[in-house]
Amino acid sequence: MNGFTRIPESRWLRSRDLKLEESSVPASFYTSQEQFELEREQVFRRAWLSVARVEELPNAGDFVNLDILTLKAKLILVRGDDGEVRGFHNSCAHRGVMVVQKEKGNAAQFRCPYHAWVYGTDGKLRTIPGADMFPDVKCGHDGLPPVHTGIWNGFIFVNFAKEPEESLEEFLGEAGVLFSDLPFEDYNHELRLPQPLATNWKHISNAFTEGYHLGFLHKNSLPFVFDRENPLTDYPTVRFMGRHSANITGANSKWQPTKPVMRFALETGFAADAELEPAGKKLMDHPAINPDRIDPIMEEAINIFPNTQIQVLHNGYLWYQYWPSGPNEMLWDVRLFLDRAPHSFRTEFAEASYVAAIRDVMAEDSSMGELQQQGLISGGLERVKYGENEFMLRHFAQTLTNYIEGKV
């Protein structure tokens, strides 16, 4: 096949090894409104969802205003005077007006713009003009409607259930323990690349848990990954941890940059950055990452069910969130975290080149996701097929279905 040398299958993990026998799902898994409604109510409204980082709320009174697209929910995350991070629906207890309009900021209290009801950073109602008109409302008791909030390794999670079925610690399980002390806090230079897409959220999620497409779709944008000895870009290491997982993508040890711009960015930009002492511990050096010591390695991706992926890179990490708003629409929220901002022309150029490369890869995956959805909506294909090398997709589809049915 095109001069490639195929590695014997016995060297790579396959679906049959994991007893993942379901090799296809109905096309409606990606296209039907009914399936989306099940996911929204039985998954996103029950599961713990990552929504922010604690570094966004360093001081008492700091807040962020969030739009949780899938659930049409408006949330306020705020650090109280006691240091606790709490979440509330952005909805006045009087007649529902959004209390906070700013995207982020610092406040000692929140004042409804309609009738001036005032809330503390703990969400409790403080004052009501004409309080005697509301004998059933009690200051210090009634307040902003709360949402359950938890923190894992600096990531802030929320849970929309009235009473979560399990704690955040229980939800994360083995994955939460294994990756609990990865030094994400050392990477505070953030770049955000949100993309609204006309596709099903699972297409984009699936794209980052199979390497099969890398040597074809990304042959030009990720030339350092393709290896003729591994033409289908099989994962050298995969770990399943209940509903969560982690997968490693290797790299081509023989690759050298040939384009002048890429060579300059790598050899002068990052080399100049390397002259400085590291700003913190390197994520890739952590013993929980790359346990088989794959060399070279491009990344290890940590997949937190249902809609989060954290890609550990050599110079930082990517945090992906997949937010569906319908069967054919989603927001792909991408955040890149590096250990420092550029400090010279060369590092500015290197960062710009790096971000441009990420955008190229994202554009390729986005376009395929939208083409997939258009093809499936056409109605000719009854089932979507998963290969023996697409075991991560089989595992996710099975986990999602089990979660909807209350089996996990």
Side-chain angles (χ1 to χ4, degrees):
M1 51 178 290
N2 299 325
F4 297 153
T5 301
R6 178 180 286 279
I7 296 295
E9 286 194 350
S10 60
R11 285 190 55 183
W12 304 107
L13 189 64
R14 294 292 180 240
S15 295
R16 56 179 172 269
D17 302 322
L18 301 165
K19 296 182 171 46
L20 293 168
E21 299 174 356
E22 194 63 57
S23 62
S24 67
V25 295
S28 60
F29 187 66
Y30 295 96
T31 61
S32 81
Q33 184 68 31
E34 180 183 5
Q35 174 69 25
F36 167 69
E37 296 292 347
L38 287 170
E39 291 169 356
R40 180 167 62 184
E41 298 305 317
Q42 299 301 321
V43 179
F44 284 87
R45 208 172 286 281
R46 291 171 51 212
W48 286 93
L49 308 171
S50 67
V51 294
R53 287 283 306 171
V54 292
E55 291 83 7
E56 298 177 62
L57 305 168
N59 305 306
D62 286 347
F63 68 87
V64 291
N65 198 348
L66 302 178
D67 185 357
I68 308 301
L69 188 68
T70 306
L71 301 174
K72 299 181 180 179
K74 310 294 185 182
L75 295 187
I76 308 165
L77 292 181
V78 58
R79 188 177 292 277
D81 293 337
D82 58 359
E84 290 294 314
V85 173
R86 296 179 176 86
F88 304 98
H89 289 273
N90 191 357
S91 179
C92 181
H94 177 207
R95 283 162 58 187
V97 170
M98 286 181 59
V99 174
V100 178
Q101 286 77 48
K102 291 176 63 177
E103 182 180 343
K104 59 183 178 180
N106 183 278
Q109 58 188 22
F110 302 116
R111 181 179 182 273
C112 177
Y114 200 6
H115 300 97
W117 287 32
V118 175
Y119 303 86
T121 56
D122 59 1
K124 293 180 180 179
L125 181 61
R126 287 185 174 177
T127 62
I128 307 174
D132 57 331
M133 298 294 103
F134 298 88
D136 297 329
V137 177
K138 298 179 181 178
C139 289
H141 177 73
D142 294 301
L144 298 173
V147 64
H148 296 279
T149 308
I151 296 174
W152 171 79
N153 201 352
F155 290 91
I156 303 171
F157 286 73
V158 296
N159 189 300
F160 284 87
K162 288 186 178 179
E163 289 298 332
E165 299 163 18
E166 54 191 339
S167 67
L168 176 58
E169 180 180 8
E170 292 168 334
F171 176 80
L172 293 173
E174 182 184 350
V177 174
L178 182 63
F179 301 116
S180 63
D181 60 349
L182 287 173
F184 295 117
E185 70 277 2
D186 290 337
Y187 297 81
N188 291 317
H189 177 51
E190 178 185 355
L191 298 119
R192 197 162 188 174
L193 310 167
Q195 281 202 43
L197 300 174
T199 189
N200 188 274
W201 69 285
K202 297 186 293 294
H203 290 318
I204 304 301
S205 173
N206 288 169
F208 290 93
T209 52
E210 56 95 345
Y212 184 30
H213 72 289
L214 296 180
F216 310 108
L217 180 62
H218 302 311
K219 63 182 178 181
N220 295 319
S221 57
L222 293 174
F224 47 85
V225 173
F226 177 73
D227 187 341
R228 290 180 180 274
E229 295 182 355
N230 182 13
L232 301 184
T233 322
D234 281 292
Y235 293 143
T237 298
V238 175
R239 290 179 279 182
F240 289 95
M241 295 159 279
R243 69 201 81 177
H244 315 296
S245 62
N247 54 275
I248 283 175
T249 303
N252 184 349
S253 61
K254 301 180 179 65
W255 178 82
Q256 293 294 327
T258 56
K259 295 181 179 180
V261 170
M262 183 176 291
R263 188 165 58 247
F264 178 84
L266 291 175
E267 294 179 358
T268 66
F270 288 118
D273 197 52
E275 294 170 3
L276 299 176
E277 287 295 321
K281 297 177 182 177
K282 294 299 181 185
L283 285 165
M284 196 65 82
D285 294 337
H286 193 280
I289 297 298
N290 192 16
D292 295 332
R293 313 308 344 149
I294 301 301
D295 186 25
I297 176 177
M298 182 181 81
E299 66 177 26
E300 177 155 12
I302 302 166
N303 308 297
I304 300 177
F305 181 86
N307 69 326
T308 292
Q309 184 179 82
I310 304 167
Q311 293 183 6
V312 173
L313 310 171
H314 286 280
N315 58 333
Y317 70 96
L318 282 160
W319 176 21
Y320 291 168
Q321 298 169 83
Y322 313 109
W323 296 108
S325 55
N328 310 310
E329 296 176 327
M330 67 166 295
L331 175 68
W332 182 16
D333 197 1
V334 178
R335 304 193 205 187
L336 171 64
F337 291 85
L338 304 172
D339 68 352
R340 60 169 63 88
H343 58 87
S344 66
F345 167 75
R346 289 184 293 176
T347 51
E348 286 180 5
F349 184 86
E351 179 178 282
S353 299
Y354 189 56
V355 172
I358 290 173
R359 281 191 177 276
D360 287 346
V361 175
M362 289 175 61
E364 290 167 346
D365 286 310
S366 297
S367 64
M368 287 302 103
E370 293 189 332
L371 289 175
Q372 275 181 287
Q373 196 66 6
Q374 291 171 23
L376 291 178
I377 290 172
S378 179
L381 196 66
E382 293 185 359
R383 298 190 71 84
V384 173
K385 302 172 182 64
Y386 299 144
E388 279 290 323
N389 58 339
E390 294 177 319
F391 45 83
M392 301 283 285
L393 277 61
R394 297 191 192 197
H395 176 264
F396 179 74
Q398 180 177 301
T399 301
L400 187 69
T401 299
N402 288 343
Y403 207 88
I404 288 171
E405 295 177 353
K407 297 177 182 178
V408 290

